[in-house]
Amino acid sequence: MTVPEGASEGVSGAVTGTATGADGPIRVLIADDQPLVRRGLALILGPEPSVTVVAEAENGEQALTLAAEHRPDVVVMDIRMPVLDGVAATERLARDLPGCRVLALSTFDMDEYVVAALRAGACGFLPKDSSPEELVAAIRTVRAGEAVVAPRLLTRLISAYVRTRPAAAGGRPDAACRAAADLTPREAEVWRLLATGLDNNEIARTLEISVSTVKNYITSIFDKLGVRDRAQAVIAAYESGLVQVRRPATDT
């Protein structure tokens, strides 16, 4: 994962940073079916001068309506909601309002719906037990165009759910294999290292190349795979079979 300049990795895996919206405060829409959670998130974000909460939604359908009305920069989206869940709402937002970035939330950090949300177009994921500081930092990072899921947490999620649920992939493994055929050997190696949890600096050290060269390779990989961010690139790597799930050893 590329960490923005001046950023560090938070204790729960979220990337923290100091970037704010280029044109004033980051406009945020909160979508959660629990009133106390919505109010709590709004209270956390209220004192933060770099963030403005523009609306609150109690389900995915309402989130879509309010997003079209208010055009937020970031939607903090609960995964599991009535009427229209967070995964379906994320997919429609990514299609209809691509400039609106989704930060998915879930009660559990090993939730199969998290991978579905990332595949649908969410730019990041935070468990609901993250700290207020991590939430604010994640919103800033997502707004800046970076993924907010730490590489090792993302790899663990995908290891647990992508390859063990082939029916949920919707034909994506074959598409990922076809796209991978267009990669050069060096791009394929960068993709593999990215998918195993290495950040740009670690990839650069492993391949003995510059970080800027790694970034150029990753841009080309995203373009050839037809993915929008690091999260989707990792998912595609598992779906294509480039990276295999490591099953834990069992005691005998």
Side-chain angles (χ1 to χ4, degrees):
M1 174 177 298
T2 303
V3 181
E5 185 177 355
S8 60
E9 202 170 61
V11 294
S12 72
V15 173
T16 61
T18 57
T20 59
D23 301 316
I26 304 169
R27 296 167 54 80
V28 174
L29 186 154
I30 298 170
D32 195 293
D33 63 317
Q34 300 180 40
L36 285 177
V37 173
R38 289 199 308 274
R39 180 53 18 200
L41 292 172
L43 289 173
I44 288 171
L45 297 176
E48 177 57 47
S50 65
V51 175
T52 297
V53 176
V54 296
E56 299 177 24
E58 62 185 22
N59 57 61
E61 192 67 49
Q62 190 177 62
L64 294 174
T65 300
L66 291 174
E69 178 183 349
H70 294 279
R71 301 290 172 137
D73 300 306
V74 176
V75 176
V76 177
M77 181 86 74
D78 184 25
I79 296 285
R80 301 190 183 192
M81 291 186 291
V83 183
L84 186 69
D85 66 32
V87 174
T90 295
E91 185 174 16
R92 286 173 57 178
L93 275 175
R95 181 191 66 210
D96 300 336
L97 293 174
C100 176
R101 299 181 179 275
V102 174
L103 174 61
L105 296 182
S106 177
T107 303
F108 307 102
D109 64 358
M110 287 298 288
D111 190 330
E112 61 186 294
Y113 289 94
V114 173
V115 172
L118 294 171
R119 186 185 290 119
C123 296
F125 156 73
L126 278 185
K128 284 188 176 180
D129 61 358
S130 298
S131 70
E133 294 78 13
E134 288 169 335
L135 173 63
V136 173
I139 290 171
R140 291 170 175 166
T141 304
V142 167
R143 175 64 180 86
E146 297 288 342
V148 79
V149 185
R152 288 161 185 82
L153 174 58
L154 179 62
T155 300
R156 191 169 80 243
L157 283 165
I158 295 170
S159 295
Y161 291 106
V162 172
R163 297 294 290 176
T164 58
R165 287 162 173 78
R172 281 288 302 277
D174 290 341
C177 288
R178 289 193 297 271
D182 293 332
L183 299 181
T184 67
R186 180 62 97 179
E187 288 171 344
E189 180 64 8
V190 170
W191 185 27
R192 184 186 67 79
L193 293 173
L194 179 157
T196 54
L198 272 63
D199 63 24
N200 289 0
N201 290 325
E202 291 168 332
I203 294 172
R205 288 195 296 270
T206 300
L207 299 180
E208 298 183 342
I209 57 180
S210 69
V211 174
S212 61
T213 300
V214 172
K215 292 179 180 178
N216 290 338
Y217 278 129
I218 290 176
T219 298
S220 178
I221 291 166
F222 287 3
D223 183 61
K224 291 181 178 180
L225 295 178
V227 300
R228 61 184 286 177
D229 55 34
R230 207 176 189 94
Q232 291 189 343
V234 176
I235 290 172
Y238 276 89
E239 290 180 336
S240 72
L242 177 73
V243 179
Q244 298 293 328
V245 175
R246 296 180 182 178
R247 300 300 180 190
T250 55
D251 296 332
T252 56

